Amino acid sequence: MKKFVIGLCSLTTLATAAFAGPVETSNQEVQQNSSAPLVSLYRDREWNFDLFGAYAFTGNSYRDDRYLETDHAWGGGVGANYFFTRYLGAGVEGYALDAQDTLGQASGNLVFRYPIPNTPIAPYGYAGGGVIFNGSRATNVISNTGLFTPFRRHNDAEGMGQFGAGVEFRLTPNVGIINDFSWNVINGSDNNYGLIRSGIRFAF
């Protein structure tokens, strides 16, 4: 009986050791897998192509503004960026706005982004400059009768600067959603305007 008990205890000990090994190893593997960093959705070098809608609003009343000549304007555009590193890139963009007259814009920007580790979110900021064209300015001229008559003078192009910030949410390594705001500075104290963009980004 004593030999039987000793043998049973020995078998139990061996069995416990045998089962304990794989379970402990499995736990270690699970812990290692759970702590492993996720693969970043943002690459060190990549091209971005954007399609976006845009909403512009003047910094002053349209009665003072001499370029957009409206408080609100809707439009849309396209853009392209190349990131030299995961954090720094350069890009170009162009859009049209349905203001008092149709306005077109083209600019180049330096872009800085910071992909938050283990998330699909990347805040970014940008600054640059370009041109805005086919705008109009209303002036008053004196007619032959001595009365002031409104006259609209069209401009071919006007230099502008811009700076803004936004956030990208990367759905897949190749598709993301962008939302940002920029402030656009045009010659003249009352011609500046804000621009909100929202659209889709394709990354390669």
Side-chain angles (χ1 to χ4, degrees), residues 42-96:
Y42 299 87
R43 292 172 283 272
D44 290 332
R45 292 180 177 85
E46 68 175 20
W47 282 97
N48 295 165
F49 298 95
D50 304 333
L51 296 173
F52 57 85
Y55 166 72
F57 59 92
T58 54
N60 300 281
S61 169
Y62 75 91
R63 294 180 177 83
D64 299 319
D65 177 83
R66 288 295 177 266
Y67 207 81
L68 294 182
E69 291 193 314
T70 182
D71 281 336
H72 310 281
W74 295 90
V78 297
N81 306 305
Y82 179 72
F83 280 87
F84 312 104
T85 72
R86 190 169 301 184
Y87 307 103
L88 185 64
V92 294
E93 69 174 25
Y95 58 81

Short mmCIF file of all heavy atoms in Angstrom, two decimals, residues 42-96:
data_model
loop_
_atom_site.label_atom_id
_atom_site.label_comp_id
_atom_site.label_asym_id
_atom_site.label_seq_id
_atom_site.Cartn_x
_atom_site.Cartn_y
_atom_site.Cartn_z
N TYR A 42 1.36 54.05 -40.98
CA TYR A 42 2.03 55.17 -41.66
C TYR A 42 3.47 54.77 -41.97
O TYR A 42 4.22 54.39 -41.08
CB TYR A 42 2.00 56.41 -40.77
CG TYR A 42 0.59 56.88 -40.46
CD1 TYR A 42 -0.10 56.36 -39.36
CD2 TYR A 42 -0.04 57.82 -41.26
CE1 TYR A 42 -1.39 56.79 -39.07
CE2 TYR A 42 -1.33 58.25 -40.98
CZ TYR A 42 -2.00 57.73 -39.89
OH TYR A 42 -3.29 58.14 -39.60
N ARG A 43 3.85 54.90 -43.22
CA ARG A 43 5.17 54.45 -43.65
C ARG A 43 6.20 55.58 -43.58
O ARG A 43 5.85 56.76 -43.55
CB ARG A 43 5.08 53.91 -45.07
CG ARG A 43 4.29 52.61 -45.19
CD ARG A 43 4.06 52.22 -46.64
NE ARG A 43 3.01 53.02 -47.25
CZ ARG A 43 1.72 52.68 -47.21
NH1 ARG A 43 1.33 51.59 -46.58
NH2 ARG A 43 0.82 53.45 -47.80
N ASP A 44 7.47 55.18 -43.58
CA ASP A 44 8.55 56.16 -43.54
C ASP A 44 8.60 56.98 -44.82
O ASP A 44 8.94 58.16 -44.81
CB ASP A 44 9.89 55.47 -43.32
CG ASP A 44 10.02 54.90 -41.91
OD1 ASP A 44 9.37 55.45 -41.00
OD2 ASP A 44 10.74 53.91 -41.72
N ARG A 45 8.31 56.36 -45.94
CA ARG A 45 8.25 57.07 -47.22
C ARG A 45 6.96 56.67 -47.92
O ARG A 45 6.73 55.49 -48.16
CB ARG A 45 9.46 56.71 -48.10
CG ARG A 45 10.78 57.22 -47.57
CD ARG A 45 11.92 56.83 -48.49
NE ARG A 45 13.18 57.36 -48.03
CZ ARG A 45 13.96 56.76 -47.13
NH1 ARG A 45 13.56 55.61 -46.61
NH2 ARG A 45 15.10 57.30 -46.76
N GLU A 46 6.15 57.67 -48.24
CA GLU A 46 4.89 57.35 -48.92
C GLU A 46 4.33 58.55 -49.65
O GLU A 46 4.61 59.70 -49.30
CB GLU A 46 3.85 56.83 -47.92
CG GLU A 46 3.34 57.83 -46.92
CD GLU A 46 2.22 57.28 -46.05
OE1 GLU A 46 2.10 56.05 -45.94
OE2 GLU A 46 1.48 58.10 -45.48
N TRP A 47 3.53 58.27 -50.68
CA TRP A 47 2.77 59.27 -51.39
C TRP A 47 1.35 59.31 -50.86
O TRP A 47 0.77 58.28 -50.55
CB TRP A 47 2.73 58.94 -52.89
CG TRP A 47 3.98 59.28 -53.64
CD1 TRP A 47 5.00 58.43 -53.95
CD2 TRP A 47 4.34 60.55 -54.18
NE1 TRP A 47 5.98 59.09 -54.64
CE2 TRP A 47 5.60 60.40 -54.80
CE3 TRP A 47 3.72 61.81 -54.20
CZ2 TRP A 47 6.24 61.46 -55.44
CZ3 TRP A 47 4.36 62.86 -54.82
CH2 TRP A 47 5.60 62.68 -55.44
N ASN A 48 0.79 60.52 -50.76
CA ASN A 48 -0.61 60.71 -50.38
C ASN A 48 -1.32 61.48 -51.49
O ASN A 48 -0.79 62.47 -52.00
CB ASN A 48 -0.74 61.52 -49.09
CG ASN A 48 -0.16 60.83 -47.88
OD1 ASN A 48 0.04 61.47 -46.85
ND2 ASN A 48 0.12 59.54 -47.95
N PHE A 49 -2.53 61.04 -51.83
CA PHE A 49 -3.37 61.75 -52.78
C PHE A 49 -4.72 62.01 -52.12
O PHE A 49 -5.35 61.08 -51.61
CB PHE A 49 -3.53 60.94 -54.07
CG PHE A 49 -2.24 60.71 -54.80
CD1 PHE A 49 -1.52 59.54 -54.60
CD2 PHE A 49 -1.72 61.67 -55.66
CE1 PHE A 49 -0.32 59.32 -55.25
CE2 PHE A 49 -0.52 61.47 -56.31
CZ PHE A 49 0.19 60.28 -56.10
N ASP A 50 -5.16 63.27 -52.13
CA ASP A 50 -6.35 63.68 -51.39
C ASP A 50 -7.47 64.16 -52.32
O ASP A 50 -7.21 64.85 -53.32
CB ASP A 50 -6.02 64.83 -50.42
CG ASP A 50 -4.90 64.47 -49.46
OD1 ASP A 50 -4.73 63.27 -49.18
OD2 ASP A 50 -4.21 65.39 -48.99
N LEU A 51 -8.69 63.83 -51.93
CA LEU A 51 -9.90 64.41 -52.51
C LEU A 51 -10.70 64.99 -51.35
O LEU A 51 -10.98 64.27 -50.39
CB LEU A 51 -10.73 63.35 -53.24
CG LEU A 51 -10.10 62.69 -54.47
CD1 LEU A 51 -11.00 61.56 -54.96
CD2 LEU A 51 -9.88 63.71 -55.58
N PHE A 52 -11.07 66.27 -51.41
CA PHE A 52 -11.70 66.88 -50.25
C PHE A 52 -12.76 67.90 -50.64
O PHE A 52 -12.72 68.50 -51.71
CB PHE A 52 -10.65 67.54 -49.34
CG PHE A 52 -9.81 68.59 -50.01
CD1 PHE A 52 -10.25 69.91 -50.11
CD2 PHE A 52 -8.57 68.27 -50.54
CE1 PHE A 52 -9.48 70.87 -50.72
CE2 PHE A 52 -7.79 69.24 -51.17
CZ PHE A 52 -8.24 70.54 -51.26
N GLY A 53 -13.70 68.09 -49.73
CA GLY A 53 -14.65 69.19 -49.81
C GLY A 53 -14.13 70.32 -48.93
O GLY A 53 -13.36 70.09 -47.99
N ALA A 54 -14.55 71.55 -49.23
CA ALA A 54 -14.03 72.71 -48.50
C ALA A 54 -15.14 73.70 -48.19
O ALA A 54 -16.08 73.87 -48.97
CB ALA A 54 -12.94 73.40 -49.32
N TYR A 55 -15.00 74.34 -47.03
CA TYR A 55 -15.92 75.40 -46.61
C TYR A 55 -15.09 76.59 -46.14
O TYR A 55 -14.20 76.44 -45.27
CB TYR A 55 -16.82 74.91 -45.48
CG TYR A 55 -17.55 76.02 -44.76
CD1 TYR A 55 -18.61 76.69 -45.38
CD2 TYR A 55 -17.18 76.41 -43.48
CE1 TYR A 55 -19.27 77.71 -44.73
CE2 TYR A 55 -17.84 77.44 -42.82
CZ TYR A 55 -18.89 78.08 -43.45
OH TYR A 55 -19.54 79.11 -42.81
N ALA A 56 -15.31 77.75 -46.72
CA ALA A 56 -14.55 78.95 -46.38
C ALA A 56 -15.46 79.99 -45.74
O ALA A 56 -16.64 80.09 -46.08
CB ALA A 56 -13.89 79.53 -47.63
N PHE A 57 -14.89 80.77 -44.83
CA PHE A 57 -15.62 81.88 -44.22
C PHE A 57 -14.66 83.05 -44.04
O PHE A 57 -13.49 82.86 -43.73
CB PHE A 57 -16.23 81.47 -42.87
CG PHE A 57 -15.24 81.00 -41.86
CD1 PHE A 57 -14.67 81.88 -40.95
CD2 PHE A 57 -14.84 79.66 -41.82
CE1 PHE A 57 -13.74 81.45 -40.01
CE2 PHE A 57 -13.92 79.22 -40.87
CZ PHE A 57 -13.37 80.12 -39.97
N THR A 58 -15.16 84.24 -44.23
CA THR A 58 -14.31 85.42 -44.16
C THR A 58 -14.02 85.80 -42.72
O THR A 58 -14.82 85.54 -41.81
CB THR A 58 -14.99 86.60 -44.87
OG1 THR A 58 -16.30 86.79 -44.32
CG2 THR A 58 -15.11 86.35 -46.36
N GLY A 59 -12.89 86.45 -42.53
CA GLY A 59 -12.54 86.91 -41.20
C GLY A 59 -13.30 88.15 -40.80
O GLY A 59 -13.40 88.48 -39.62
N ASN A 60 -13.87 88.85 -41.77
CA ASN A 60 -14.67 90.05 -41.53
C ASN A 60 -15.98 89.93 -42.29
O ASN A 60 -16.20 88.99 -43.05
CB ASN A 60 -13.93 91.30 -42.00
CG ASN A 60 -12.61 91.49 -41.29
OD1 ASN A 60 -12.54 91.95 -40.16
ND2 ASN A 60 -11.52 91.10 -41.96
N SER A 61 -16.85 90.88 -42.10
CA SER A 61 -18.09 90.90 -42.87
C SER A 61 -17.77 91.02 -44.35
O SER A 61 -16.78 91.64 -44.74
CB SER A 61 -18.96 92.08 -42.43
OG SER A 61 -20.03 92.27 -43.33
N TYR A 62 -18.60 90.38 -45.17
CA TYR A 62 -18.36 90.45 -46.61
C TYR A 62 -18.40 91.88 -47.13
O TYR A 62 -17.84 92.19 -48.19
CB TYR A 62 -19.38 89.59 -47.36
CG TYR A 62 -20.77 90.20 -47.45
CD1 TYR A 62 -21.13 91.00 -48.54
CD2 TYR A 62 -21.71 89.98 -46.44
CE1 TYR A 62 -22.40 91.55 -48.62
CE2 TYR A 62 -22.97 90.54 -46.52
CZ TYR A 62 -23.31 91.32 -47.62
OH TYR A 62 -24.56 91.86 -47.69
N ARG A 63 -19.01 92.79 -46.38
CA ARG A 63 -19.05 94.19 -46.80
C ARG A 63 -17.66 94.83 -46.71
O ARG A 63 -17.39 95.82 -47.39
CB ARG A 63 -20.05 94.97 -45.94
CG ARG A 63 -21.50 94.53 -46.14
CD ARG A 63 -22.45 95.32 -45.27
NE ARG A 63 -23.84 94.96 -45.52
CZ ARG A 63 -24.44 93.91 -44.95
NH1 ARG A 63 -23.77 93.15 -44.11
NH2 ARG A 63 -25.71 93.65 -45.23
N ASP A 64 -16.81 94.27 -45.83
CA ASP A 64 -15.45 94.78 -45.71
C ASP A 64 -14.47 93.99 -46.57
O ASP A 64 -13.45 94.51 -47.00
CB ASP A 64 -14.99 94.74 -44.26
CG ASP A 64 -15.87 95.60 -43.36
OD1 ASP A 64 -16.23 96.70 -43.79
OD2 ASP A 64 -16.19 95.15 -42.24
N ASP A 65 -14.78 92.71 -46.78
CA ASP A 65 -13.91 91.85 -47.58
C ASP A 65 -13.94 92.31 -49.03
O ASP A 65 -15.00 92.60 -49.59
CB ASP A 65 -14.39 90.40 -47.47
CG ASP A 65 -13.56 89.47 -48.34
OD1 ASP A 65 -12.49 89.06 -47.89
OD2 ASP A 65 -13.99 89.19 -49.47
N ARG A 66 -12.77 92.36 -49.64
CA ARG A 66 -12.69 92.81 -51.02
C ARG A 66 -12.13 91.73 -51.93
O ARG A 66 -11.60 92.01 -53.00
CB ARG A 66 -11.83 94.08 -51.12
CG ARG A 66 -12.53 95.30 -50.54
CD ARG A 66 -13.77 95.66 -51.34
NE ARG A 66 -14.51 96.78 -50.79
CZ ARG A 66 -15.52 96.67 -49.95
NH1 ARG A 66 -15.92 95.46 -49.55
NH2 ARG A 66 -16.14 97.73 -49.49
N TYR A 67 -12.25 90.48 -51.50
CA TYR A 67 -11.80 89.40 -52.37
C TYR A 67 -12.86 88.32 -52.52
O TYR A 67 -13.38 88.10 -53.60
CB TYR A 67 -10.48 88.81 -51.89
CG TYR A 67 -9.71 88.22 -53.04
CD1 TYR A 67 -8.96 89.05 -53.88
CD2 TYR A 67 -9.77 86.87 -53.34
CE1 TYR A 67 -8.29 88.54 -54.96
CE2 TYR A 67 -9.10 86.36 -54.42
CZ TYR A 67 -8.36 87.19 -55.24
OH TYR A 67 -7.71 86.69 -56.31
N LEU A 68 -13.22 87.65 -51.43
CA LEU A 68 -14.30 86.67 -51.52
C LEU A 68 -15.64 87.37 -51.74
O LEU A 68 -16.50 86.89 -52.47
CB LEU A 68 -14.38 85.83 -50.25
CG LEU A 68 -13.21 84.88 -49.95
CD1 LEU A 68 -13.50 84.11 -48.67
CD2 LEU A 68 -12.97 83.94 -51.09
N GLU A 69 -15.82 88.50 -51.06
CA GLU A 69 -17.06 89.27 -51.11
C GLU A 69 -18.29 88.46 -50.74
O GLU A 69 -19.37 88.63 -51.29
CB GLU A 69 -17.24 89.91 -52.49
CG GLU A 69 -16.23 91.00 -52.77
CD GLU A 69 -16.60 91.82 -53.97
OE1 GLU A 69 -16.97 91.23 -55.01
OE2 GLU A 69 -16.55 93.05 -53.88
N THR A 70 -18.12 87.53 -49.81
CA THR A 70 -19.24 86.75 -49.28
C THR A 70 -18.81 86.20 -47.94
O THR A 70 -17.62 86.00 -47.69
CB THR A 70 -19.63 85.60 -50.24
OG1 THR A 70 -20.74 84.89 -49.71
CG2 THR A 70 -18.47 84.64 -50.44
N ASP A 71 -19.76 85.98 -47.05
CA ASP A 71 -19.42 85.48 -45.72
C ASP A 71 -19.07 83.99 -45.75
O ASP A 71 -18.28 83.52 -44.93
CB ASP A 71 -20.59 85.69 -44.75
CG ASP A 71 -20.65 87.13 -44.27
OD1 ASP A 71 -19.60 87.81 -44.29
OD2 ASP A 71 -21.75 87.58 -43.87
N HIS A 72 -19.67 83.25 -46.69
CA HIS A 72 -19.48 81.79 -46.72
C HIS A 72 -19.32 81.33 -48.16
O HIS A 72 -19.94 81.89 -49.08
CB HIS A 72 -20.68 81.07 -46.11
CG HIS A 72 -21.08 81.60 -44.76
ND1 HIS A 72 -20.42 81.26 -43.60
CD2 HIS A 72 -22.06 82.47 -44.40
CE1 HIS A 72 -20.98 81.88 -42.58
NE2 HIS A 72 -21.97 82.63 -43.03
N ALA A 73 -18.52 80.30 -48.36
CA ALA A 73 -18.34 79.74 -49.70
C ALA A 73 -18.01 78.25 -49.57
O ALA A 73 -17.28 77.83 -48.67
CB ALA A 73 -17.22 80.46 -50.43
N TRP A 74 -18.58 77.46 -50.48
CA TRP A 74 -18.34 76.02 -50.52
C TRP A 74 -17.53 75.67 -51.76
O TRP A 74 -17.58 76.38 -52.77
CB TRP A 74 -19.66 75.25 -50.55
CG TRP A 74 -20.47 75.41 -49.30
CD1 TRP A 74 -21.42 76.37 -49.06
CD2 TRP A 74 -20.41 74.60 -48.13
NE1 TRP A 74 -21.96 76.20 -47.80
CE2 TRP A 74 -21.36 75.13 -47.21
CE3 TRP A 74 -19.68 73.48 -47.76
CZ2 TRP A 74 -21.57 74.57 -45.96
CZ3 TRP A 74 -19.87 72.92 -46.51
CH2 TRP A 74 -20.81 73.47 -45.62
N GLY A 75 -16.80 74.58 -51.69
CA GLY A 75 -16.00 74.15 -52.83
C GLY A 75 -15.38 72.79 -52.60
O GLY A 75 -15.82 72.01 -51.75
N GLY A 76 -14.33 72.51 -53.34
CA GLY A 76 -13.64 71.23 -53.22
C GLY A 76 -12.34 71.27 -53.98
O GLY A 76 -12.07 72.21 -54.74
N GLY A 77 -11.50 70.24 -53.75
CA GLY A 77 -10.21 70.24 -54.41
C GLY A 77 -9.47 68.92 -54.30
O GLY A 77 -10.01 67.91 -53.84
N VAL A 78 -8.21 68.97 -54.71
CA VAL A 78 -7.33 67.80 -54.70
C VAL A 78 -5.98 68.21 -54.12
O VAL A 78 -5.62 69.39 -54.09
CB VAL A 78 -7.15 67.22 -56.12
CG1 VAL A 78 -8.48 66.73 -56.68
CG2 VAL A 78 -6.54 68.27 -57.05
N GLY A 79 -5.23 67.22 -53.67
CA GLY A 79 -3.90 67.48 -53.13
C GLY A 79 -3.02 66.27 -53.25
O GLY A 79 -3.50 65.14 -53.44
N ALA A 80 -1.71 66.49 -53.17
CA ALA A 80 -0.74 65.40 -53.21
C ALA A 80 0.41 65.74 -52.27
O ALA A 80 0.88 66.90 -52.24
CB ALA A 80 -0.22 65.19 -54.62
N ASN A 81 0.85 64.76 -51.48
CA ASN A 81 1.97 64.94 -50.55
C ASN A 81 2.96 63.80 -50.72
O ASN A 81 2.57 62.67 -51.05
CB ASN A 81 1.49 64.94 -49.09
CG ASN A 81 0.41 65.95 -48.84
OD1 ASN A 81 0.56 67.14 -49.11
ND2 ASN A 81 -0.72 65.48 -48.33
N TYR A 82 4.23 64.09 -50.47
CA TYR A 82 5.24 63.03 -50.38
C TYR A 82 5.95 63.17 -49.05
O TYR A 82 6.47 64.25 -48.72
CB TYR A 82 6.25 63.12 -51.51
CG TYR A 82 7.31 62.03 -51.39
CD1 TYR A 82 6.99 60.70 -51.66
CD2 TYR A 82 8.60 62.34 -50.97
CE1 TYR A 82 7.93 59.71 -51.53
CE2 TYR A 82 9.55 61.34 -50.83
CZ TYR A 82 9.21 60.02 -51.10
OH TYR A 82 10.14 59.03 -50.96
N PHE A 83 5.95 62.09 -48.26
CA PHE A 83 6.61 62.09 -46.96
C PHE A 83 8.00 61.47 -47.08
O PHE A 83 8.14 60.31 -47.43
CB PHE A 83 5.76 61.35 -45.93
CG PHE A 83 4.64 62.18 -45.39
CD1 PHE A 83 3.41 62.22 -46.05
CD2 PHE A 83 4.80 62.95 -44.25
CE1 PHE A 83 2.38 63.01 -45.58
CE2 PHE A 83 3.78 63.75 -43.77
CZ PHE A 83 2.56 63.78 -44.43
N PHE A 84 9.02 62.29 -46.79
CA PHE A 84 10.40 61.82 -46.82
C PHE A 84 10.69 60.89 -45.66
O PHE A 84 11.48 59.96 -45.76
CB PHE A 84 11.37 63.02 -46.77
CG PHE A 84 11.02 64.10 -47.74
CD1 PHE A 84 10.41 65.27 -47.31
CD2 PHE A 84 11.28 63.95 -49.10
CE1 PHE A 84 10.09 66.28 -48.20
CE2 PHE A 84 10.96 64.95 -50.00
CZ PHE A 84 10.37 66.12 -49.55
N THR A 85 10.06 61.18 -44.54
CA THR A 85 10.13 60.32 -43.36
C THR A 85 8.69 60.14 -42.87
O THR A 85 7.76 60.69 -43.44
CB THR A 85 10.97 60.96 -42.24
OG1 THR A 85 10.26 62.06 -41.67
CG2 THR A 85 12.31 61.45 -42.77
N ARG A 86 8.54 59.38 -41.82
CA ARG A 86 7.20 59.18 -41.27
C ARG A 86 6.61 60.48 -40.73
O ARG A 86 5.39 60.62 -40.61
CB ARG A 86 7.27 58.13 -40.14
CG ARG A 86 5.91 57.66 -39.65
CD ARG A 86 6.06 56.45 -38.76
NE ARG A 86 6.72 55.37 -39.48
CZ ARG A 86 6.92 54.15 -38.97
NH1 ARG A 86 6.52 53.89 -37.73
NH2 ARG A 86 7.52 53.22 -39.68
N TYR A 87 7.48 61.46 -40.45
CA TYR A 87 7.02 62.67 -39.78
C TYR A 87 7.05 63.93 -40.64
O TYR A 87 6.37 64.91 -40.31
CB TYR A 87 7.87 62.92 -38.53
CG TYR A 87 7.93 61.73 -37.61
CD1 TYR A 87 9.06 60.91 -37.57
CD2 TYR A 87 6.85 61.40 -36.79
CE1 TYR A 87 9.10 59.80 -36.73
CE2 TYR A 87 6.89 60.30 -35.96
CZ TYR A 87 8.02 59.50 -35.93
OH TYR A 87 8.06 58.40 -35.11
N LEU A 88 7.81 63.96 -41.71
CA LEU A 88 8.01 65.19 -42.46
C LEU A 88 7.77 64.96 -43.95
O LEU A 88 8.26 63.98 -44.52
CB LEU A 88 9.43 65.72 -42.24
CG LEU A 88 9.75 67.08 -42.86
CD1 LEU A 88 8.89 68.17 -42.24
CD2 LEU A 88 11.24 67.39 -42.68
N GLY A 89 7.03 65.89 -44.57
CA GLY A 89 6.75 65.77 -45.99
C GLY A 89 6.50 67.14 -46.61
O GLY A 89 6.51 68.18 -45.94
N ALA A 90 6.26 67.15 -47.91
CA ALA A 90 5.93 68.35 -48.66
C ALA A 90 4.80 68.02 -49.61
O ALA A 90 4.66 66.87 -50.05
CB ALA A 90 7.14 68.87 -49.42
N GLY A 91 3.97 69.03 -49.92
CA GLY A 91 2.84 68.75 -50.77
C GLY A 91 2.33 69.96 -51.53
O GLY A 91 2.76 71.09 -51.28
N VAL A 92 1.42 69.70 -52.45
CA VAL A 92 0.75 70.74 -53.22
C VAL A 92 -0.75 70.47 -53.13
O VAL A 92 -1.19 69.33 -52.93
CB VAL A 92 1.20 70.76 -54.69
CG1 VAL A 92 2.66 71.17 -54.79
CG2 VAL A 92 0.99 69.40 -55.34
N GLU A 93 -1.53 71.53 -53.29
CA GLU A 93 -2.98 71.40 -53.28
C GLU A 93 -3.61 72.45 -54.17
O GLU A 93 -2.98 73.48 -54.48
CB GLU A 93 -3.54 71.55 -51.86
CG GLU A 93 -3.42 72.97 -51.31
CD GLU A 93 -4.11 73.13 -49.96
OE1 GLU A 93 -4.27 72.13 -49.25
OE2 GLU A 93 -4.48 74.28 -49.65
N GLY A 94 -4.83 72.19 -54.57
CA GLY A 94 -5.58 73.17 -55.34
C GLY A 94 -7.06 72.96 -55.10
O GLY A 94 -7.52 71.83 -54.92
N TYR A 95 -7.82 74.06 -55.04
CA TYR A 95 -9.26 73.94 -54.83
C TYR A 95 -9.98 75.12 -55.47
O TYR A 95 -9.36 76.14 -55.84
CB TYR A 95 -9.61 73.84 -53.35
CG TYR A 95 -9.15 74.98 -52.48
CD1 TYR A 95 -9.86 76.18 -52.40
CD2 TYR A 95 -8.01 74.84 -51.68
CE1 TYR A 95 -9.44 77.21 -51.59
CE2 TYR A 95 -7.59 75.88 -50.85
CZ TYR A 95 -8.31 77.05 -50.81
OH TYR A 95 -7.89 78.08 -50.00
N ALA A 96 -11.27 74.97 -55.62
CA ALA A 96 -12.13 76.03 -56.15
C ALA A 96 -13.22 76.32 -55.14
O ALA A 96 -13.72 75.42 -54.46
CB ALA A 96 -12.74 75.61 -57.49
#
